[in-house]
Amino acid sequence: MVVVFGLCILCIIFTFTPYTDVAMDQLPSSWHSKTSISLEEEAILEETAKERAKSRTHLENSSDDTSPNSNPSTGTTSDNMGESDGNASQGLADEDEFHDGLPTTFDEALFPESSQEILRARIGAKALDSYMNDDPTAIDARAESVAYILRQANTAYRNDTVYSVVIKPKSKRPPSGDIHDYTSLARYYWKNPDTKDGLPYVRHDGKANPDMESVWDYRLLRKVFRDCYYMAHGYFWTGEARYAEKIVYRVKEWFLDEATHMNPNLKYGSLIFGTEMGRAEGVLDMFKVFAMFDALKMIEGSAAMQAEPQMIPDLQRWFTSYLEWIDASPEATQERNAHNNHGTYFTVQYISILEFLGRNEEATAMAEDAKDRRVGSQIRRDGAQPHETIRPVSYFYSTFNLQGLMLLSMQAESHGVDLWNHKGPIEFKTMRLNGLQKPVDVEVGGGTIEDAVRYLADYGSRDISEWPYPDAGGRSLKDVLKMARAASLIYKSDFWPELIERLGDKLGEIVAQDEGESESDAVVEDGEPNGFLCELGFLSKASLWHCYR
Ligand SMILES: *[C@@H]1O[C@H](CO)[C@@H](O)[C@H](O)[C@H]1NC(C)=O
Ligand SMILES: *[C@@H]1O[C@H](CO)[C@@H](O)[C@H](O)[C@H]1NC(C)=O
Ligand SMILES: CC(=O)N[C@H]1CO[C@H](CO)[C@@H](O)[C@@H]1O
C-alpha cells in the first residue's frame, strides 16, 4: 500500500524529452521519461554546474599557498552537500596559524616504512617502480595529491563539531518520531499550500526547498565517509597518529555511541514529508560507505584502532542489521531492481558491506551476478549506455554510472571475477522508465567497460553538439579523463595515449576559454589531482583502496 502510494507520488514527476537515438536508431523519435533523481545525483548535478567556476579558482590559486583570503575555519563546508571537492580557499590556509604541527606536504622522510611495504606488496615492487619511474610526472603527481589530501585531512581533523543524526531539529523528525532514524529530504518538495498542516508536500520542479538545509543527515553521513577517507590517507602517507584517532572518534560518534548513533536503516532516505516512508532513491545515500571501510583498513595497525578492539565487531553488527533492513525493505528492493546507475551503486554498496562483514562467498556471487545484471545489460556494442542516455541528463549520468561500473569491476576483481572484459549478449530490451509510458525496444549488450569509457572520452574530446542524445545537463570532463587514464592502465590498448591527450586538450581548451586567455597547463583536476590515488588503487586491484570518485 505504502509502496503504491510512493510510486504514485513519483508518477507525477514527468518531463517530456524528445529522444532520438542517432547512433543506433532504435528508439522512436519522442517519448516521455520520468525524472526521478536522488540527493546524490542532485548534488552531483549541482557540482557540475559549478565546475567551470571552480576550476578557474583552482587555476588561479591552487599553487598559491599564501593567499590572504583564505579562511580555513569556514572554508570547509561551503561545498554544496559536504561532498564537492571543495572550495578552493580551503587549500590556501596559512597552516602555521593552527600551531598543531599537522603535516601539509609530502615528505619522503615521514613516509612510513610500513606504508611503503604495503604499496610494494599490494602493487608489486616491479609494477610500482615502473609506475613511479616511467612517467616523469609521477613524482610531482604524488606530491600534489598528498598535499591535497592533507588539506582535506587537516580540515577534517580540526573540525570539532558533532556529526550526528540527532542534531536535526525536533520539527524535522521522521514519521517514526525517532531522532536516531536517518532522514534526508527530497529536494524539490514544498509544503502543501492547500492543507492546514502543509502535508503532503508537493513538488516544485527545479526549485530546491531551503528546508532541506535544516536537516544535515545526508550531508554529515557523506562527510563522515569523506573525512575518514582523507584522514586515513593522511595517516598512510605521513604516519601522523592523530588522523587515526579522529577516524575512530567519528565512526563511533556516527554509528555506535548511545547518544549520537544512527539506527541501521535508510527508511527515511529521500523522504517527502507527509508520506510514511522514504523513497527507493534514498538507498543511494549510503553508497560511499566503501570509503570508510577503506579508511578502517588503512589504519588497521594504528594504536588508535588497537585501543578499541570492540569497534569493528560493533560496527559489523550495525551493518549486519542494516543489510537485514535492505533485504526486507520494498524500497531497497526497488533500488536493487533498478537497471541504471541506481542498480549499479546498489551493488557497489552491498558488496562493500559484505566484504566488511567477511561474507566473501556472497560478495563473489554478487559480483558474478553483476556480469549480466549490471555490466552486460548496460553497455551497448558502440559503448553507449542506453539506460542512462534515455534520461534527460544523458552525458552526465553516463559518466556517473560508468564510475560506478568501474568501482564494481575493481571490487569484483578482488573476488576473482572479471567484469572488465565482460560483454553481455546483444539483445533487445523493453525499456520503460516508470512503468507508465509506452515501452520501447532498445538494443543493449555487446560492449565492455573499455568501450563505454572510450565512447565517453571520444565524445568528450569533441564539440558538445556532437553528442547524439538530448542532454539537459553538463559534462564532467575531469571525471572522464580520470576514467580514461584508469582504463589505459587496465586495458593497455594502443588508442589510449592519443585519446587521453585529445581529451586533455579539450579540457584545457574549456578551462582556457573560461579564463579568457590561453593556458598551456590548464588541465587541472578538481579534487585529488591527476587521479594519482585512484590509479594506485586500480594498480593494487582494490587491495589498497578504491577511487573515491
Ligand atoms: C565542521 O563541519 C560542520 C558540518 O559540516 C560544519 O558546519 C562546520 O562549519 C565545520 N567546522 C569547521 C571549523 O570547519
Ligand atoms: C569559498 O568559501 C568562502 C567562505 O565560505 C566564500 O566566501 C567564497 O565565496 C567561496 N569561494 C568559492 C569559489 O566557492
Ligand atoms: C578566484 C579567486 O579566488 N582568486 C583569488 C586568488 O588569490 C588572489 C590573492 O592571492 C585573490 O586576489 C583572488 O581573488
Side-chain angles (χ1 to χ4, degrees):
M1 197 48 209
V2 168
V3 183
V4 173
F5 181 54
L7 280 173
C8 283
I9 297 250
L10 293 175
C11 305
I12 303 166
I13 314 157
F14 275 85
T15 44
F16 294 83
T17 312
Y19 185 92
T20 316
D21 188 336
V22 176
M24 301 289 278
D25 226 9
Q26 305 289 359
L27 291 171
S29 61
S30 86
W31 66 320
H32 311 151
S33 84
K34 181 199 67 162
T35 315
S36 163
I37 61 180
S38 68
L39 280 178
E40 162 69 18
E41 297 176 287
E42 286 162 353
I44 291 171
L45 277 179
E46 282 192 13
E47 218 178 282
T48 337
K50 285 187 200 152
E51 184 171 288
R52 291 181 153 210
K54 272 203 313 194
S55 55
R56 182 160 55 237
T57 316
H58 272 263
L59 269 182
E60 284 177 6
N61 283 344
S62 57
S63 58
D64 174 5
D65 260 27
T66 56
S67 165
N69 295 341
S70 64
N71 185 351
S73 61
T74 58
T76 159
T77 52
S78 55
D79 57 301
N80 173 36
M81 298 297 293
E83 197 49 39
S84 90
D85 283 310
N87 182 326
S89 68
Q90 90 190 62
L92 306 176
D94 177 1
E95 294 278 346
D96 286 349
E97 82 187 52
F98 293 102
H99 303 294
D100 58 9
L102 286 175
T104 57
T105 54
F106 182 70
D107 181 345
E108 198 86 52
L110 292 179
F111 190 20
E113 188 60 40
S114 56
S115 299
Q116 299 184 42
E117 270 166 27
I118 290 171
L119 281 180
R120 274 196 298 272
R122 301 285 167 78
I123 294 178
K126 243 172 91 188
L128 181 63
D129 270 359
S130 68
Y131 179 74
M132 289 307 296
N133 300 330
D134 293 356
D135 178 354
T137 65
I139 301 284
D140 287 348
R142 179 177 64 185
E144 233 188 295
S145 291
V146 176
Y148 173 82
I149 59 179
L150 292 177
R151 289 197 292 271
Q152 310 307 315
N154 293 349
T155 306
Y157 176 79
R158 290 176 186 133
N159 193 318
D160 284 330
T161 64
V162 175
Y163 294 4
S164 166
V165 289
V166 303
I167 66 173
K168 59 180 162 285
K170 280 207 170 80
S171 64
K172 293 294 187 299
R173 286 186 187 206
S176 65
D178 186 346
I179 198 117
H180 293 280
D181 278 338
Y182 173 93
T183 309
S184 65
L185 301 190
R187 172 166 298 210
Y188 296 121
Y189 287 81
W190 293 68
K191 266 202 172 110
N192 192 332
D194 300 330
T195 60
K196 228 179 178 172
D197 57 3
L199 303 177
Y201 275 36
V202 289
R203 183 169 172 105
H204 289 282
D205 232 333
K207 226 172 112 194
N209 187 339
D211 240 24
M212 266 192 62
E213 292 302 311
S214 64
V215 180
W216 282 21
D217 294 7
Y218 172 80
R219 177 196 300 209
L220 292 174
L221 174 70
R222 308 309 293 271
K223 207 151 186 267
V224 171
F225 300 155
R226 184 179 204 275
D227 283 10
C228 287
Y229 187 79
Y230 283 116
M231 287 193 287
H233 272 290
Y235 176 80
F236 185 87
W237 295 95
T238 71
E240 173 60 59
R242 280 177 287 175
Y243 296 133
E245 288 162 14
K246 190 72 175 232
I247 291 169
V248 168
Y249 176 87
R250 284 300 182 207
V251 169
K252 287 172 64 185
E253 178 184 48
W254 188 270
F255 290 98
L256 303 175
D257 289 347
E258 185 69 33
T260 52
H261 75 274
M262 168 185 166
N263 291 336
N265 69 70
L266 292 175
K267 269 188 255 178
Y268 305 109
S270 209
L271 177 74
I272 301 162
F273 266 102
T275 65
E276 284 300 306
M277 300 294 284
R279 300 184 297 161
E281 288 81 359
V283 177
L284 190 64
D285 289 6
M286 184 67 88
F287 90 81
K288 281 199 177 171
V289 70
F290 71 81
M292 183 179 79
F293 296 146
D294 282 350
L296 292 172
K297 209 166 60 175
M298 288 165 79
I299 64 165
E300 225 164 31
S302 67
M305 282 288 266
Q306 276 153 20
E308 293 282 350
Q310 268 317 302
M311 189 177 87
I312 295 291
D314 288 347
L315 198 59
Q316 284 173 327
R317 262 190 292 280
W318 195 101
F319 278 99
T320 301
S321 305
Y322 175 76
L323 283 195
E324 282 164 12
W325 171 75
I326 285 202
D327 290 343
S329 150
E331 286 73 31
T333 302
Q334 199 182 325
E335 193 74 351
R336 186 199 295 265
N337 293 337
H339 296 294
N340 62 6
N341 66 80
H342 283 274
T344 304
Y345 282 104
F346 179 91
T347 304
V348 167
Q349 177 182 158
Y350 205 105
I351 289 182
S352 65
I353 295 171
L354 289 175
E355 288 171 343
F356 176 64
L357 297 177
R359 288 159 58 175
N360 287 319
E361 268 174 39
E362 288 165 81
T364 306
M366 201 162 186
E368 191 63 45
D369 179 59
K371 278 185 173 170
D372 281 324
R373 191 200 272 252
R374 303 301 179 207
V375 180
S377 62
Q378 291 199 80
I379 304 172
R380 203 166 52 186
R381 55 197 152 118
D382 61 353
Q385 299 168 64
H387 294 277
E388 301 302 337
T389 54
I390 55 175
R391 302 181 61 149
V393 176
S394 53
Y395 189 93
F396 194 81
Y397 280 126
S398 297
T399 306
F400 180 57
N401 187 50
L402 195 49
Q403 287 174 312
L405 289 177
M406 291 184 87
L407 265 172
L408 189 52
S409 306
M410 247 178 134
Q411 293 176 316
E413 188 173 15
S414 69
H415 295 283
V417 176
D418 180 14
L419 297 186
W420 295 118
N421 296 296
H422 184 76
K423 272 183 197 174
I426 296 171
E427 55 194 0
F428 286 88
K429 277 257 160 75
T430 302
M431 289 195 190
R432 68 184 137 193
L433 269 187
N434 58 9
L436 283 186
Q437 72 248 350
K438 222 175 108 213
V440 285
D441 286 337
V442 181
E443 186 187 313
V444 297
T448 63
I449 286 173
E450 181 175 40
D451 295 328
V453 182
R454 185 185 194 178
Y455 187 83
L456 284 184
D458 183 48
Y459 276 110
S461 72
R462 300 200 236 152
D463 192 81
I464 198 159
S465 62
E466 290 182 48
W467 178 245
Y469 303 95
D471 195 356
R475 297 194 291 186
S476 177
L477 292 190
K478 289 166 189 169
D479 287 334
V480 177
L481 181 60
K482 211 177 209 174
M483 287 197 286
R485 290 178 53 114
S488 78
L489 284 176
I490 292 153
Y491 296 99
K492 305 189 172 69
S493 308
D494 292 343
F495 59 79
W496 282 115
E498 184 273 334
L499 183 49
I500 286 170
E501 197 180 326
R502 189 146 48 88
L503 185 61
D505 288 348
K506 184 68 188 175
L507 189 51
E509 225 175 83
I510 291 168
V511 177
Q513 267 166 21
D514 278 4
E515 289 269 288
E517 58 187 12
S518 100
E519 285 260 352
S520 58
D521 59 345
V523 183
V524 180
E525 291 259 38
D526 271 340
E528 190 260 312
N530 305 321
F532 175 82
L533 297 183
C534 204
E535 285 166 28
L536 286 189
F538 276 115
L539 285 173
S540 79
K541 304 191 187 319
S543 65
L544 291 174
W545 50 72
H546 299 82
C547 289
Y548 182 71
R549 183 180 166 185

